[in-house]
Amino acid sequence: MSSFTEIVSNKFYETAFSHSMFTDVDKVIVGFSGGADSVCLLHLLHRFQNEFSYALTAVHVNHGIRGVEAKRDADFAESFCKENGIPFELIEIECVKLAEENKISLEEAGRKARYKAFNGLCTDKSKIATAHNQNDNAETLIFNLSRGSSLKGACGIPYVRSNIVRPILNCSRVEIEGYCKENNLSFVTDSTNLSDDYSRNKIRHNIMPVMNGLNSD
């Protein structure tokens, strides 16, 4: 039986290669929250850095909404990068203020601020790598359908959109956590991911387990 390390590494490489994610790329900016998904992605990108010949920078965004826990995550992200010799950038934003000023949700305000920060570090030949995975894709599909999305929205998360690439989109959360365990990679858990105050979490906690149960029958 293949190990999680082998499975995830092969999926990462095949996805990156088949979608030409790192062809003629000078730098990859990695959204690095410190969670299992982003730890796995950053570790893979660091491992395959010589293979694809890009510079690597990890960017952690503190949204200013979780106090001590947010500081813990930022410290973890910086420490992880220091231990692995990966350039690190910390970006601090006021997500609540941005949401109020723009009359949008905290989720949307955070997403826009993150990508603004990422793009600010890019050149014309840079890519932004995010750790969206197979589970995120399923959750996004259900979320879009629940809002009466068009056929385009029903396609889920794209592998490549503009300068954004998602190399572990074919990996499941189980595989990702297995990869982290096999490679002795610690990670942090964002407590907001445990709350049903956010639409995506309601889908993750309540709908996905039912669908997985149906699929296993």
Side-chain angles (χ1 to χ4, degrees):
M1 181 180 293
S2 298
S3 67
F4 286 117
T5 299
E6 182 181 355
I7 292 168
V8 171
S9 298
N10 288 340
K11 286 186 176 183
F12 168 89
Y13 188 84
E14 290 168 6
T15 300
F17 184 79
S18 63
H19 293 275
S20 302
M21 290 182 173
F22 306 120
T23 302
D24 194 30
V25 171
D26 65 349
K27 181 168 64 171
V28 177
I29 305 298
V30 190
F32 187 49
S33 68
D37 301 337
S38 68
V39 165
C40 174
L41 174 61
L42 184 58
H43 191 261
L44 286 163
L45 286 165
H46 189 47
R47 278 180 55 205
F48 285 94
Q49 189 170 359
N50 291 335
E51 177 90 15
F52 291 105
S53 300
Y54 48 68
L56 192 61
T57 299
V59 182
H60 180 87
V61 179
N62 183 340
H63 297 81
I65 57 175
R66 291 185 296 120
V68 173
E69 185 180 279
K71 176 68 165 53
R72 176 209 66 181
D73 292 357
D75 289 345
F76 169 84
E78 184 172 12
S79 177
F80 183 94
C81 290
K82 185 176 181 180
E83 289 173 6
N84 290 279
I86 301 169
F88 174 79
E89 293 278 349
L90 173 63
I91 306 292
E92 297 183 329
I93 62 175
E94 296 182 49
C95 202
V96 174
K97 182 179 179 181
L98 290 172
E100 292 174 348
E101 289 177 347
N102 294 282
K103 295 181 172 57
I104 56 178
S105 69
L106 275 175
E107 288 175 283
E108 181 68 6
R111 187 189 69 81
K112 288 187 173 186
R114 284 195 301 276
Y115 283 106
K116 182 179 179 180
F118 299 155
N119 277 303
L121 297 169
C122 287
T123 69
D124 291 340
K125 295 174 66 176
S126 297
K127 295 294 184 182
I128 298 167
T130 67
H132 291 94
N133 60 50
Q134 200 173 67
N135 295 63
D136 296 321
N137 205 13
E139 292 160 10
T140 295
L141 176 59
I142 293 171
F143 180 67
N144 288 342
L145 289 173
S146 72
R147 297 191 303 173
S149 178
S150 65
L151 185 60
K152 180 180 179 181
C155 293
I157 302 172
Y159 291 97
V160 178
R161 180 172 61 83
S162 185
N163 65 338
I164 302 167
V165 296
R166 301 176 174 100
I168 59 171
L169 193 57
N170 284 338
C171 301
S172 71
R173 191 161 286 130
V174 168
E175 291 169 342
I176 287 167
E177 291 182 359
Y179 178 97
C180 289
K181 183 176 181 179
E182 287 181 0
N183 289 277
N184 297 313
L185 302 173
S186 58
F187 54 85
V188 293
T189 300
D190 182 340
S191 63
T192 61
N193 289 333
L194 306 177
S195 168
D196 279 353
D197 290 342
Y198 299 93
S199 299
R200 188 173 296 276
N201 288 352
K202 291 178 181 177
I203 294 170
R204 179 175 301 167
H205 300 152
N206 302 299
I207 298 176
M208 293 305 297
V210 174
M211 296 191 70
N212 289 334
L214 291 173
N215 195 42
S216 65
D217 288 343

